[in-house]
Amino acid sequence: MITRAGWGLAAASVLVYAAGAPFGYAQVAVLAAAGLAAVGAGALWTLRGAGLEVRREVAPVKVARGEPAVAVLHLRNTGRWRRSGLVARDTCRDTTVSVEVPSLARHTARTVSYRLPTRRRGETPVGPLLLERTDPFGLSRRSIAYGRADMLLVRPRTVPLASLNSGRRRNVDGLASRSAPAGASSFKGLREYVIGDDLRHVHWRSTARTGVLMVKELTDVNLPSTVTVLDTRTSAYEGDDEFELAVDVVASAACAVTRDRFPVRVFTGAGELVHAKGAPGEDEEVLDRLAVVERSDAAESPLHALRRAGSGGALVLVSGTFAALADAAAVRRRFDQVLFVRVGEPSEGGVPQAAGVTVIEAGDLEELAAAWPR
């Protein structure tokens, strides 16, 4: 393809010839012919086969919002001539990333890496990759597509938080357990050993003191459970930044629970998004699901989601408006602990309060971590 510079040179050559030819200037004809010849030579230069092997890798394929993600190009010159003037252009959502490729001698390979934009959360197609080749004078350009688009998943950011203490019956040992089966048992008392008891439950101090083999008697307790609700109504937020922060808050609250192997349910204005039951690795599923959540004019209010959330445990409701505080207050008696988080700039009228509801105002994740109950 002829570039703007090439078309400009061709037009100038024609004008020069048209202006000088009637006066019989031979030099004008030479200059015009040279200009047109340069444009033609540039076109022939770029029409020549590229003779390149190109492979791209995206690492990592899942990344938190704002964290670095890199594309790595592996290029090899399989032709007989040195390749130069190459520019790689990759498309990442609405952003085009350009990187110059070093000159490649025959039968040599190079690796080029470049950063990908990760400011926006969601499934981000990377590519297709275009390799542009220009002639030495920039008069002609040729673009060749290599491979297909790769997928980069930009997930919410998280900050470490403590699991909320909830459950109808508290474990006297606290929330130290990191597995659901162990977390479902609590110490009740001591009794004498009987044949068939698990020797791992022997209480050696009492056995040494009494001279009788004593074992710990355990009883089942309710696992601390959490319900998180994300307000996805478009009208609840002033802009995209506030909504992204709200998703980060929900991700942080939910992952604090799943990483301790306790159950959590995540709701949005479209219904239940994910129900983690305390199995290992479920925090990854929570982040993957939250990565693709979007605002919607058709989203239901948080109160509709809370009607399907059951009762018991802790509730975390996140919104960009204090108007949703009334929804949290309306169901406070159904939960052991209710937490309302309003994201965005500090309100001028102060932070409203509601009986039985802990209210937090967070302008970023650091403020959330500082105000989070411990």
Side-chain angles (χ1 to χ4, degrees):
M1 180 180 69
I2 306 298
T3 63
R4 294 179 61 182
W7 286 116
L9 179 57
S13 300
V14 172
L15 290 176
V16 167
Y17 180 78
F23 300 99
Y25 294 125
Q27 296 87 344
V28 172
V30 173
L31 289 175
L36 294 175
V39 174
L44 292 175
W45 178 279
T46 55
L47 283 177
R48 189 175 57 183
L52 291 174
E53 291 181 356
V54 181
R55 179 170 56 90
R56 179 192 54 207
E57 297 177 348
V58 176
V61 294
K62 296 181 180 181
V63 64
R65 186 171 64 88
E67 295 297 320
V70 179
V72 181
L73 289 183
H74 302 275
L75 302 104
R76 181 177 180 82
N77 183 4
T78 58
R80 296 181 298 172
W81 310 98
R82 175 180 292 271
R83 305 297 176 184
S84 60
L86 297 174
V87 177
R89 301 191 188 277
D90 225 346
T91 303
C92 190
R93 272 195 175 171
D94 300 329
T95 304
T96 300
V97 182
S98 301
V99 58
E100 292 187 3
V101 178
S103 178
L104 287 170
R106 55 178 300 186
H107 304 307
T108 59
R110 287 288 187 93
T111 299
V112 180
S113 61
Y114 48 93
R115 291 278 297 269
L116 297 174
T118 59
R119 185 176 180 274
R120 292 183 58 188
R121 175 185 48 83
E123 290 182 337
T124 305
V126 181
L129 173 69
L130 295 179
L131 204 60
E132 293 187 352
R133 185 163 183 257
T134 59
D135 68 283
F137 300 103
L139 303 177
S140 180
R141 180 187 299 115
R142 183 186 182 191
S143 298
I144 303 176
Y146 286 89
R148 58 183 180 181
D150 294 319
M151 191 61 67
L152 171 66
L153 185 63
V154 181
R155 307 193 294 186
R157 293 178 56 216
T158 60
V159 65
L161 300 175
S163 296
L164 296 176
N165 192 2
S166 64
R168 295 299 181 187
R169 184 172 184 177
R170 269 67 175 183
N171 190 330
V172 296
D173 297 324
L175 296 178
S177 175
R178 294 186 60 84
S179 65
S185 299
S186 179
F187 176 76
K188 180 179 181 182
L190 297 173
R191 60 173 174 79
E192 293 186 12
Y193 172 83
V194 295
I195 297 176
D197 283 338
D198 192 339
L199 293 177
R200 292 176 297 180
H201 295 162
V202 172
H203 196 269
W204 296 107
R205 289 186 179 180
S206 299
T207 299
R209 185 173 64 252
T210 61
V212 180
L213 193 61
M214 305 292 291
V215 295
K216 293 181 288 185
E217 187 175 8
L218 304 177
T219 184
D220 289 338
V221 297
N222 289 336
L223 287 174
S225 60
T226 304
V227 172
T228 59
V229 179
L230 172 64
D231 190 351
T232 55
R233 295 174 297 175
T234 303
S235 59
Y237 303 92
E238 293 185 1
D240 292 337
D241 291 341
E242 283 191 358
F243 181 69
E244 291 300 320
L245 177 58
V247 178
D248 293 345
V249 171
V250 170
S252 299
C255 288
V257 180
T258 56
R259 287 166 183 165
D260 281 338
R261 308 281 179 85
F262 295 125
V264 62
R265 301 175 71 185
V266 180
F267 289 86
T268 68
E272 186 172 23
L273 184 68
V274 60
H275 184 182
K277 300 180 180 179
E282 285 186 319
D283 54 327
E284 295 293 317
E285 181 183 1
V286 170
L287 292 174
D288 289 348
R289 296 289 185 88
L290 285 172
V292 296
V293 170
E294 298 291 344
R295 291 187 292 169
S296 172
D297 293 332
E300 297 179 338
S301 67
L303 187 59
H304 285 81
L306 290 170
R307 290 172 179 170
R308 299 188 291 268
S311 60
L315 167 65
V316 180
L317 173 57
V318 183
S319 178
T321 174
F322 278 121
L325 177 59
D327 293 350
V331 297
R332 67 184 185 277
R333 298 183 183 277
R334 289 167 41 191
F335 297 90
D336 302 331
Q337 185 175 3
V338 178
L339 190 66
F340 176 80
V341 182
R342 184 259 178 186
V343 298
E345 297 295 329
S347 56
E348 297 180 356
V351 178
Q353 301 296 323
V357 180
T358 302
V359 181
I360 295 177
E361 193 172 32
D364 53 43
L365 289 180
E366 287 69 26
E367 292 183 8
L368 173 72
W372 192 259
R374 292 175 173 80

